[in-house]
């Protein structure tokens, strides 16, 4: 599907369909399409009710005219709508077109605004996403929407939206790949391929090098699997002197069975998504390579598969992480934080000003916030605020949780080692974040996003399909672009 900017004469335009995005209470059809068309639309609205509520869609056939089909897509009230309203509405329009088997359309808004243009492009690209490569029995007559034109002169906003949404779709597809296809080795190959295609630096460390570098935490988590762990380091360097340096770290458990503390079947299902943070990092690096900000960006992934076996790590094990701290294993299913211990230590050694990690870290975060909101933790109030602000526009919901409860922190600081990998039943998302904090060097601004909930969608919603969501790709890329 191509998404393009178009700004020709609307009064003579001939196209298979047009989509008008309208606010609630302002349903008078846009005059821009010319008197004849808007008159016919007004006539149709005398018999059909359309209020313009968010999520409302109406198709009005106008046979014999220049535009034989007009869609009205509701945005809700102007006060309540934001960029994400347009993103969702755009996806809804593309989904309606696919259902009606309409090949092309012009998307039209009341006013032009770069954020809206970008959101419409994002919604169109995200809304057309499908993961059907494993369906060999295709539909009888396969159909794809072939062309979306957005009525705008702002090519730059449109291109940015396309790049961001394509990066998110790329992350979604990687998340949707099962554990028999993506394991630590093949994930590393994917990173290499990405680097080659987009001109990034890429270093891959195998299980021997991982041990040599002192990343015994990552190595331990991965050693129960017959596909050994990999450490992935992608770098984007701008031309000329960078304004800033940032590291993005992703949890990369290609499958999380729980290990010796094995998960019950119901909980093990969908654990191919435990690499969502890593896939997000690959998506971000892809977008950054295309958008070329004046910032040095490091993408870091500790990839492992958590399996039970004779060589698996065990409860009671005491492991030395890269930064020299010792970790006592209480539960092998709290493996993500153990792999991140080394990834964050490695990232700290690069001396970035900011580290942001994304991890499907705890079920507890879903208990706290529900499955549609990521937990946000940070040692920097201003970093947290910037991320919250950006997330309002991207629609990737974040909610800040505290790291300052020193009494709670004690729960991971008892026992024979420096730190223990679980903190008991209560505040599980917080004690997990506090564990991570142990591996970030003093003086580095750090934020952790616990994306256990929103990384995966159980159903189709807005611009999401069932499955991987690519959550975080747009928010963190926008953050980097704003540095
Ligand atoms: N990958 C899981 C967390 C998770 C749960 C992600 C559900 C997405 C959906 C993580 O490795 C895990 O198993 N966490 C445990 C920690 C516990 C053993 C302290 C959990 O949340 O139950
Ligand atoms: Mn686990
Ligand atoms: Zn996990």
């Amino acid at each position: 599907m191509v998404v393009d900017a178009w700004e020709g004469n609307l009064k003579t335009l001939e196209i298979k369909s047009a989509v008008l995005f309208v606010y609630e209470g302002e349903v008078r059809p846009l005059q821009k399409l010319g008197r004849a068309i808007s008159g016919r639309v007004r006539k149709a609205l005398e018999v059909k009710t359309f209020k313009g509520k968010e999520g409302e869609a109406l198709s009005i056939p106008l046979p014999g005219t220049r535009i034989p089909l007009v869609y009205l897509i509701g945005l809700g009230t102007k006060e309540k709508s934001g960029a994400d309203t347009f993103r969702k509405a755009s996806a809804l329009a593309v989904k309606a077109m696919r259902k009606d088997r309409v090949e092309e359309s012009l998307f039209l808004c009341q006013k032009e605004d770069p954020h809206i243009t970008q959101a419409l492009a994002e919604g169109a690209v995200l809304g057309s996403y499908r993961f059907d490569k494993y369906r060999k029995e295709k539909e009888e007559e396969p159909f794809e929407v072939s062309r979306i034109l957005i009525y705008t002169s702002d090519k730059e906003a449109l291109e940015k939206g396309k790049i961001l949404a394509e990066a998110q779709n790329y992350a979604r597809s990687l998340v949707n790949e099962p554990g028999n296809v993506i394991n630590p080795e093949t994930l590393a190959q994917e990173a290499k391929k990405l680097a080659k295609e987009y001109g990034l630096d890429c270093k891959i460390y195998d299980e021997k090098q991982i041990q040599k570098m002192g990343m015994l935490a990552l190595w331990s988590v991965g050693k129960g699997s017959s596909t050994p762990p990999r450490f992935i380091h992608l770098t984007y360097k701008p031309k000329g002197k960078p304004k800033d340096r940032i590291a993005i770290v992703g949890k990369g458990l290609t499958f999380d069975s729980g290990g010796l503390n094995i998960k019950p079947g119901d909980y093990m299902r969908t654990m191919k998504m435990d690499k969502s943070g890593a896939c997000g990092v690959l998506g971000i690096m892809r977008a950054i390579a295309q958008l070329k900000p004046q910032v040095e960006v490091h993408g870091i992934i500790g990839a492992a598969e958590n399996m039970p076996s004779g060589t698996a790590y065990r409860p009671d094990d005491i492991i030395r992480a890269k930064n020299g701290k010792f970790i006592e294993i209480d539960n092998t299913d709290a493996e993500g934080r153990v792999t991140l211990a080394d990834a964050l230590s490695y990232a700290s050694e690069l001396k970035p000003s900011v580290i942001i990690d994304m991890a499907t870290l705890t079920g507890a975060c879903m208990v706290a916030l529900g499955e549609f909101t990521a937990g946000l933790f940070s040692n920097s109030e201003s970093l947290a605020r910037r991320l919250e602000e950006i997330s309002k526009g991207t629609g990737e919901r974040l909610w800040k949780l505290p790291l300052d409860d020193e009494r709670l922190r004690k729960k991971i600081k008892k026992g024979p080692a420096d730190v223990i990998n679980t903190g008991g039943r209560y505040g599980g998302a917080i004690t997990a974040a506090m564990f991570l904090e142990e591996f970030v060097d003093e003086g580095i601004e750090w934020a952790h996003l616990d994306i256990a909930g929103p990384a995966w969608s159980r159903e189709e919603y807005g611009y999401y399909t069932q499955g991987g969501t690519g959550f975080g790709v747009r928010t963190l890329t926008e953050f980097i672009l704003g540095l």
Side-chain angles (χ1 to χ4, degrees), residues 251 253 256-259 261 263 271 274 306 313 331-337 360-361:
K251 170 173 170 179
L253 267 290
D256 179 13
S257 71
N261 292 102
K263 287 179 186 292
M271 276 303 137
D274 215 18
N306 189 20
Y313 81 136
N331 188 319
T332 62
D333 197 12
E335 83 299 333
R337 64 197 78 179
T360 48
L361 204 63

Side-chain angles (χ1 to χ4, degrees), residues 245-246 346-355 441 444:
R245 184 185 307 133
I246 180 170
Y346 181 100
S348 293
E349 286 178 15
L350 300 169
K351 307 257 179 255
S353 60
V354 180
I355 298 177
D441 280 3
I444 299 177

Side-chain angles (χ1 to χ4, degrees), residues 74-272:
L75 296 166
T77 60
K78 210 176 212 159
E79 298 75 54
K80 280 196 187 151
S81 79
D84 205 47
T85 317
F86 284 87
R87 201 174 285 116
K88 283 191 240 167
S90 178
L92 179 64
V94 171
K95 285 180 183 181
M97 287 172 66
R98 182 157 67 217
K99 197 162 140 266
D100 297 345
R101 300 187 157 242
V102 176
E103 275 165 32
E104 56 165 9
S105 192
L106 174 82
F107 285 16
L108 190 59
C109 281
Q110 226 143 353
K111 65 163 189 200
E112 246 201 86
D113 170 303
H115 294 107
I116 293 178
T117 300
Q118 185 188 328
L120 289 178
E122 288 170 359
V125 174
L126 294 171
S128 68
Y129 176 79
R130 271 188 295 178
F131 185 73
D132 56 6
K133 63 187 275 203
Y134 296 110
R135 271 191 198 276
K136 286 303 165 200
E137 294 164 26
K138 298 280 183 209
E139 297 164 70
E140 262 177 37
E141 279 178 72
F143 176 83
E144 295 289 341
V145 174
S146 57
R147 191 160 75 125
I148 303 289
L149 300 177
I150 295 175
Y151 186 70
T152 179
S153 57
D154 196 340
K155 282 219 161 62
E156 202 182 317
L158 185 127
E159 278 310 310
K160 182 180 170 192
K162 273 164 63 177
I163 288 170
L164 285 169
E166 278 160 10
Q168 182 171 353
N169 283 349
Y170 168 67
R172 288 162 95 173
S173 284
L174 291 177
V175 171
N176 287 332
E177 290 289 354
N180 62 325
V181 176
I182 293 201
N183 55 47
E185 275 174 307
T186 54
L187 186 67
Q189 281 163 11
E190 179 61 41
K192 254 196 171 149
K193 194 172 119 205
L194 178 78
K196 201 168 168 209
E197 218 173 311
Y198 290 90
L200 299 160
D201 288 340
C202 178
K203 276 200 216 120
I204 307 289
Y205 301 99
D206 67 15
E207 71 274 24
K208 287 205 186 87
Q209 293 164 305
I210 287 170
Q211 289 174 78
K212 252 200 210 125
M213 291 157 76
M215 299 200 280
L216 299 175
L218 170 63
W219 178 73
S220 295
V221 170
K223 75 196 179 85
S225 168
S226 53
T227 40
R230 290 289 180 269
F231 191 81
I232 302 166
H233 178 183
L234 290 165
T235 308
Y236 162 78
K237 282 203 173 114
K239 289 210 178 84
K241 194 176 155 34
K243 283 194 281 188
D244 212 338
R245 184 185 307 133
I246 180 170
I248 306 289
V249 178
K251 170 173 170 179
L253 267 290
T254 59
F255 189 73
D256 179 13
S257 71
L260 289 175
N261 292 102
I262 197 160
K263 287 179 186 292
D266 284 356
Y267 289 84
M268 203 185 295
R269 189 81 163 106
T270 75
M271 276 303 137
K272 66 174 183 181

Side-chain angles (χ1 to χ4, degrees), residues 348-473:
S348 293
E349 286 178 15
L350 300 169
K351 307 257 179 255
S353 60
V354 180
I355 298 177
I356 303 178
D357 76 74
M358 277 206 292
T360 48
L361 204 63
T362 68
C365 197
M366 300 165 72
V367 174
L369 299 176
E371 67 236 81
F372 313 120
T373 302
L376 164 64
F377 302 83
S378 185
N379 61 6
S380 156
E381 200 59 48
S382 78
L383 174 58
R385 260 202 300 273
R386 275 182 284 162
L387 289 168
E388 283 174 327
E389 206 45 55
I390 292 165
S391 98
K392 281 186 195 127
T394 59
E396 295 177 327
R397 293 175 54 85
L398 304 177
W399 199 260
K400 194 168 173 275
L401 293 170
L403 282 173
D404 64 350
D405 188 340
E406 296 309 324
R407 225 176 136 191
L408 190 61
R409 190 186 300 273
K410 286 205 182 102
K411 301 202 176 189
I412 57 163
K413 306 236 42 165
K414 54 190 184 198
D418 295 305
V419 62
I420 188 162
N421 84 328
T422 63
R425 189 164 151 73
Y426 302 115
I430 300 174
T431 48
M434 286 172 163
F435 178 98
L436 299 184
E437 204 178 3
E438 297 283 327
F439 301 92
V440 178
D441 280 3
E442 210 81 23
I444 299 177
E445 280 192 291
W446 160 74
H448 156 59
L449 303 185
D450 191 332
I451 58 169
W456 184 261
S457 185
R458 294 210 293 183
E459 56 192 1
E460 181 156 355
Y461 171 80
Y463 39 78
Y464 293 138
T465 50
Q466 190 275 335
T469 60
F471 184 97
V473 169

